[in-house]
Amino acid sequence: MGNISSSHTFTMLTPNFELDQTDDYLILKIKARFANVKNTEIDVDGNQITFCSYPYYLRLHLPGELKETSASSGFYDWDLSIFTFNINKVNPGEKFADLNLINKFLEQPKTYQSFKPKPSIEVLKKNNDDDNNDVDDEDNINCYFLQVPLSDQNNVRVKYGFGNQTQDGFNHFKGEFFGIIEISGIDDMDFNQRKTTQYATEYLEFSDDHYLADLMTEPDELQSILDFKPFWYNTTCTLNDSQKDILKSFGNKEYLLSKDDKKSALLSLVDIIYAYCYCIRTNLGEENCESAWVINKLSSTLSWFRIFETFDETIKACIRRSLCYPLYRRWELSILVLSDVRKVFGNGCVCLLTCLLDIHELFNKSDPRYVLNQLYIKDYCIWIQQLKSTQFDTIVKLLFNHLIVKKQVGFNLEALEVAAKTVGEDLAILERAQNSNNIVSKLQNLQISNNSLDSDDDEEESAE
């Protein structure tokens, strides 16, 4: 192991790599098929590792301190084209968290940029006071805070995108994206207009007939959908090589979000994951040509650029859209998907990343939904790796304790169901009456037939 100059950083490729650990060592594996093994260099400096083997360059910032000792080692497997380095921990027994979230440890760039935001944000310096404020903000994102309306609605009046960091992103387009976004003139529509227009549109597009048809007819495949166990129940989520490559290509960023923006970002994440869980469950774990449409359509965040104020408002929006637009519109199904969302958040960051990366792939294949990746999904993939697990635990707790009833959703669901039940009972009465009439008619016909036979017998006896 030796020192390395950072002059190589602008000409080299980032290799695929994996991180693991024992009580005493951090284990770094780097796949470098075309590496110049003879001139390979690696440097360990506190929590930073720098690797160079032309044409590859990698710089990592780890969550704990490391040191090179005589026990540290490294070798290259010529058959697999993999470097393996065992580097001593300064504090043996220390557990380095989230080593499976590889791009979390890539060197952060100094600027943050999203889909043509105004203004862009540059991180110049962080002092100890800033760090303390960040900790306070994280600790204050709790169940109570997620139920309190935004403190400053004016700050998000015409903003959208991840963390409400984008504005004026669509002024130069002439309708290319309005097939996936349900509002035109987004850059001129404020926070409250988006909300009220969405509600009005959903009331107009809710179909009494479709809802009652699903309620009364019980589609054969519905029970299979209700009984289905998606992957988040059956397996421990891990990222495959393709997903790791995508994360690596995203790099790492530092997001400067206000408390309100953090809250709305968390609530919109719930909304997006709900749409994804609904899609996966109703397709029995498969994906099809409609999957991207379903996720886009069911998510208020992705279709209306909705900014949520409270957790209750978020759940209400999820349920409403699940009863308006997809093929299956059953209350029991919509509520069951909330349990799916709770399980995904309960599984933690890797499970959430698996869902988001799947959405990212679907949207990239569904032009022009790639713009939703630029506006939301890519940044979510990076940002959630920077959150504490307590943030996910808060969402799980809210979902566990949350109770939503049909009256809260609107659409007069209870009245519709009562009317349908009454009609059903009337039809049953009519059917029973019809059956009774049929029985009487059959008895009468039978009696007539018997009388006819008796008459024939009498005539035969008289003849004899």
Side-chain angles (χ1 to χ4, degrees):
M1 296 185 181
N3 294 329
I4 182 173
S5 170
S6 62
S7 61
H8 298 282
T9 59
F10 300 104
T11 60
M12 295 193 177
L13 305 175
T14 301
N16 293 330
F17 66 95
E18 295 180 2
L19 294 167
D20 203 350
Q21 63 184 321
T22 65
D23 287 341
D24 297 320
Y25 294 95
L26 175 82
I27 303 170
L28 170 62
K29 293 185 177 183
I30 301 174
K31 187 173 182 62
R33 180 180 178 185
F34 304 107
N36 185 343
V37 178
K38 181 179 179 181
N39 294 323
T40 295
E41 297 177 330
I42 186 167
D43 178 62
V44 178
D45 183 10
N47 70 337
Q48 179 175 290
I49 298 176
T50 308
F51 165 87
C52 179
S53 184
Y54 188 82
Y56 302 104
Y57 178 87
L58 179 67
R59 178 175 290 171
L60 301 175
H61 294 263
L62 282 304
E65 297 289 314
L66 302 167
K67 63 180 179 181
E68 292 186 57
T69 70
S70 58
S72 299
S73 63
F75 64 91
Y76 184 74
D77 187 320
W78 290 93
D79 293 329
L80 299 177
S81 302
I82 293 177
F83 289 97
T84 301
F85 300 100
N86 297 291
I87 306 170
N88 289 81
K89 295 179 179 178
V90 170
N91 300 308
E94 179 183 3
K95 295 298 181 183
F96 291 0
D98 300 328
L99 291 183
N100 52 347
L101 306 178
I102 57 172
N103 72 317
K104 180 176 183 177
F105 307 113
L106 294 172
E107 182 182 19
Q108 295 182 359
K110 296 302 182 183
T111 59
Y112 162 78
Q113 186 175 2
S114 186
F115 180 76
K116 296 187 181 297
K118 293 184 179 181
S120 61
I121 298 174
E122 184 175 3
V123 181
L124 296 176
K125 182 179 180 181
K126 287 184 68 176
N127 55 35
N128 291 334
D129 291 338
D130 292 334
D131 291 337
N132 291 335
N133 288 336
D134 286 345
V135 172
D136 291 340
D137 280 351
E138 292 287 335
D139 293 340
N140 288 331
I141 305 293
N142 53 30
C143 293
Y144 172 77
F145 183 66
L146 290 178
Q147 292 286 49
V148 178
L150 297 177
S151 59
D152 184 8
Q153 294 185 6
N154 291 326
N155 188 44
V156 294
R157 292 185 71 84
V158 291
K159 293 183 179 181
Y160 45 87
F162 168 78
N164 309 321
Q165 298 300 297
T166 303
Q167 57 185 349
D168 299 329
F170 289 90
N171 281 337
H172 59 292
F173 293 110
K174 300 185 183 296
E176 293 93 329
F177 299 110
F178 299 135
I180 61 173
I181 303 166
E182 299 194 25
I183 42 179
S184 59
I186 178 61
D187 290 305
D188 301 316
M189 183 173 285
D190 67 26
F191 167 81
N192 287 314
Q193 285 175 320
R194 272 179 268 172
K195 179 178 177 179
T196 56
T197 305
Q198 179 188 347
Y199 273 28
T201 302
E202 289 168 355
Y203 273 113
L204 289 174
E205 296 181 347
F206 174 75
S207 171
D208 297 358
D209 292 339
H210 194 136
Y211 178 78
L212 291 177
D214 279 5
L215 176 68
M216 305 299 290
T217 60
E218 292 276 350
D220 294 338
E221 62 270 25
L222 183 61
Q223 193 57 49
S224 298
I225 291 172
L226 295 173
D227 293 339
F228 178 67
K229 292 293 184 184
F231 69 85
W232 45 84
Y233 288 102
N234 302 324
T235 61
T236 300
C237 292
T238 57
L239 300 176
N240 59 39
D241 289 341
S242 176
Q243 291 168 329
K244 290 178 181 179
D245 285 343
I246 294 173
L247 283 179
K248 185 186 70 175
S249 71
F250 289 167
N252 203 356
K253 297 178 182 178
E254 186 171 1
Y255 297 94
L256 299 181
L257 304 179
S258 68
K259 281 183 61 178
D260 278 345
D261 288 338
K262 288 180 181 178
K263 178 172 78 169
S264 66
L266 272 174
L267 295 178
S268 283
L269 180 61
V270 173
D271 171 65
I272 293 169
I273 295 299
Y274 181 94
Y276 176 79
C277 289
Y278 183 98
C279 177
I280 295 299
R281 174 171 287 280
T282 55
N283 288 322
L284 301 179
E286 302 294 328
E287 293 170 352
N288 56 40
C289 59
E290 297 294 325
S291 295
W293 178 90
V294 171
I295 297 168
N296 181 185
K297 191 73 172 181
L298 293 193
S299 168
S300 301
T301 301
L302 301 177
S303 57
W304 281 90
F305 293 168
R306 180 72 176 275
I307 297 172
F308 294 107
E309 294 191 81
T310 67
F311 182 80
D312 287 346
E313 183 183 63
T314 308
I315 300 304
K316 178 180 176 181
C318 292
I319 301 295
R320 282 171 62 89
R321 296 190 73 78
S322 71
L323 297 176
C324 278
Y325 300 109
L327 178 60
Y328 304 105
R329 307 178 190 179
R330 281 290 293 269
W331 178 263
E332 293 85 352
L333 174 59
S334 298
I335 297 301
L336 180 60
V337 175
L338 290 177
S339 299
D340 292 332
V341 177
R342 185 178 71 210
K343 181 63 175 177
V344 169
F345 274 88
N347 287 347
C349 187
V350 175
C351 191
L352 284 164
L353 270 176
T354 301
C355 300
L356 290 169
L357 289 169
D358 197 13
I359 296 172
H360 186 273
E361 182 179 3
L362 287 168
F363 284 177
N364 270 350
K365 296 177 181 178
S366 178
D367 193 45
R369 290 186 174 89
Y370 70 86
V371 73
L372 299 175
N373 285 336
Q374 296 179 26
L375 280 168
Y376 291 99
I377 306 303
K378 176 181 176 180
D379 287 307
Y380 268 118
C381 288
I382 300 170
W383 181 65
I384 65 170
Q385 297 179 67
Q386 302 169 10
L387 297 180
K388 296 179 180 179
S389 61
T390 53
Q391 305 301 302
F392 308 138
D393 295 340
T394 297
I395 299 297
V396 172
K397 183 177 180 180
L398 284 168
L399 285 165
F400 185 80
N401 295 324
H402 188 79
L403 177 64
I404 186 169
V405 296
K406 294 174 181 177
K407 183 167 63 175
Q408 293 174 278
V409 174
F411 304 141
N412 295 318
L413 298 180
E414 293 175 323
L416 281 174
E417 293 178 11
V418 169
K421 184 178 180 181
T422 301
V423 171
E425 291 174 349
D426 291 343
L427 290 174
I429 293 172
L430 288 173
E431 184 177 358
R432 287 195 297 270
Q434 184 64 42
N435 290 337
S436 297
N437 290 336
N438 291 337
I439 292 173
V440 170
S441 178
K442 288 180 180 179
L443 289 173
Q444 289 174 342
N445 292 334
L446 181 62
Q447 183 63 41
I448 292 172
S449 176
N450 290 335
N451 290 340
S452 176
L453 290 173
D454 291 342
S455 176
D456 291 343
D457 291 341
D458 291 342
E459 291 177 358
E460 290 176 1
E461 291 176 357
S462 297
E464 290 176 358

